[in-house]
Amino acid sequence: MRLIIDAGSTKMEWILMEGNELKSRFMTEGFNPNYSDRQCLVETCHGASLPNEIHSIHYYGTGCGNPQNCQMIKEVFQYRFPNAEINVTHDLMAACHAVLGHEKGIACILGTGSNACVYDGEKVIDKAVSLGYLVGDEGSGMHIGKEVVRAYFYGFMPEDLRRQFEAKYPLELKEFIQHLYHEEQPSKYLASFAEFAGEHKAHPYIRGLVKGCFKAFVEAFILRFGECRSLKVGFVGSVAYYFSDVLEETLADYGLTLGKVLKSPAEGLVRYYQ
């Protein structure tokens, strides 16, 4: 039995395989060791309906570029599965395995957060700097959601969109500030407003807003790689998936070639481990 986990800030996807056969897939709440308490992972791990006879665990997670975070996660799973071999690595490696397999290319994440790296078919050989939601995460659901809600409160949003936004989110400024600055997971909260952009992505204003976020992502994360125009650029994440047409257009503007785009790494990870 092999357990593969793709852990993002918003959700975790669990994949259980026996040999080459997919036995089950399910979702739980996300976990980011930079913002979430260890006990959250303990409860999620122990609450998951899983057999005890698991011989290897492959955990790909946001926040796992930090060795201390990796060690903490490994300890949680080692306690639950004392006989399992446990490998913990960053979520970028999940993107590499899912969209590139054993081929060289650029793998990117565009979900609640964002990141990118160059992969040589076996390991990450160059990686962008990820500064998190307060300073970075360009092109992400958080970034798009932030720009949507900013446009609403600043009065930049066209009137037709403004009416539809108010119908979907009866939002008061005081309530927004309270949630953003005094409650947990502000990045997830901001990313929730990206759903509005997805529902209205055909609107010229929204298309321009999203494209502006993607341009910021390309300039911060991809153009720093010297060989970027000679490699395919693959993506995992719901933002990349739902706005793939805008993403492809943005990459083309910079002379870049879009590779595979997956909503989540799970499908690609199953293929990789088969």
Side-chain angles (χ1 to χ4, degrees), residues 147-157 161-163 165-166 169 171-172 205:
E147 291 302 312
V148 166
V149 77
R150 179 175 176 271
Y152 171 73
F153 280 119
Y154 281 4
F156 300 154
M157 189 178 283
L161 283 175
R162 183 180 182 84
R163 289 194 300 270
F165 185 89
E166 289 174 340
Y169 307 103
L171 197 62
E172 297 292 335
Y205 181 82

Side-chain angles (χ1 to χ4, degrees), residues 68-203:
Q68 291 156 324
N69 288 344
C70 292
Q71 183 59 33
M72 180 271 288
I73 291 165
K74 186 172 182 178
E75 288 171 1
V76 170
F77 279 90
Q78 199 76 74
Y79 185 80
R80 171 69 174 83
F81 302 100
N83 298 317
E85 178 189 338
I86 300 170
N87 302 287
V88 180
T89 188
H90 49 80
D91 50 356
L92 269 174
M93 191 59 79
C96 293
H97 289 170
V99 300
L100 298 171
H102 296 286
E103 296 180 8
K104 186 175 181 178
I106 296 173
C108 307
I109 296 171
L110 277 182
T112 303
S114 61
N115 210 336
C117 69
V118 180
Y119 175 70
D120 69 359
E122 293 184 4
K123 61 185 182 297
V124 172
I125 57 174
D126 197 0
K127 183 180 174 183
V129 176
S130 179
L131 296 175
Y133 76 95
L134 283 176
V135 182
D137 278 347
E138 290 84 355
S140 67
M142 183 284 303
H143 186 193
I144 292 169
K146 181 179 73 172
E147 291 302 312
V148 166
V149 77
R150 179 175 176 271
Y152 171 73
F153 280 119
Y154 281 4
F156 300 154
M157 189 178 283
E159 185 59 30
D160 58 332
L161 283 175
R162 183 180 182 84
R163 289 194 300 270
Q164 293 177 80
F165 185 89
E166 289 174 340
K168 184 175 178 67
Y169 307 103
L171 197 62
E172 297 292 335
L173 179 59
K174 184 178 179 181
E175 171 198 347
F176 173 74
I177 295 297
Q178 171 65 30
H179 201 133
L180 184 63
Y181 291 103
H182 302 286
E183 297 184 23
E184 294 182 353
Q185 297 185 301
S187 62
K188 186 176 177 181
Y189 177 60
L190 286 172
S192 69
F193 295 103
E195 182 180 329
F196 181 81
E199 292 171 351
H200 301 278
K201 64 180 183 178
H203 193 289

Side-chain angles (χ1 to χ4, degrees), residues 106-108 222 228 231-235 251 256-261:
I106 296 173
C108 307
I222 299 180
C228 61
L231 299 172
K232 285 188 177 180
V233 187
F235 289 82
L251 292 181
L256 300 165
T257 304
L258 182 65
K260 287 182 181 176
V261 179

Side-chain angles (χ1 to χ4, degrees), residues 91-92 94-100 105-111 113-117 138-140 213-219 221-223 225 228 231-252 254 256-268 271:
D91 50 356
L92 269 174
C96 293
H97 289 170
V99 300
L100 298 171
I106 296 173
C108 307
I109 296 171
L110 277 182
S114 61
N115 210 336
C117 69
E138 290 84 355
S140 67
C213 292
F214 286 166
K215 282 184 173 182
F217 172 81
V218 169
E219 292 173 5
F221 285 87
I222 299 180
L223 295 185
F225 302 132
C228 61
L231 299 172
K232 285 188 177 180
V233 187
F235 289 82
V236 296
S238 56
V239 171
Y241 181 81
Y242 287 116
F243 295 100
S244 59
D245 57 333
V246 185
L247 185 58
E248 185 170 19
E249 180 182 298
T250 306
L251 292 181
Y254 290 90
L256 300 165
T257 304
L258 182 65
K260 287 182 181 176
V261 179
L262 299 177
K263 185 177 179 182
S264 82
E267 179 186 343
R271 285 198 304 268

Side-chain angles (χ1 to χ4, degrees), residues 36-53:
S36 306
D37 187 80
R38 173 190 176 122
Q39 188 60 28
C40 295
L41 182 62
V42 171
E43 291 173 3
T44 300
C45 183
H46 285 261
S49 180
L50 292 165
N52 293 323
E53 304 78 23

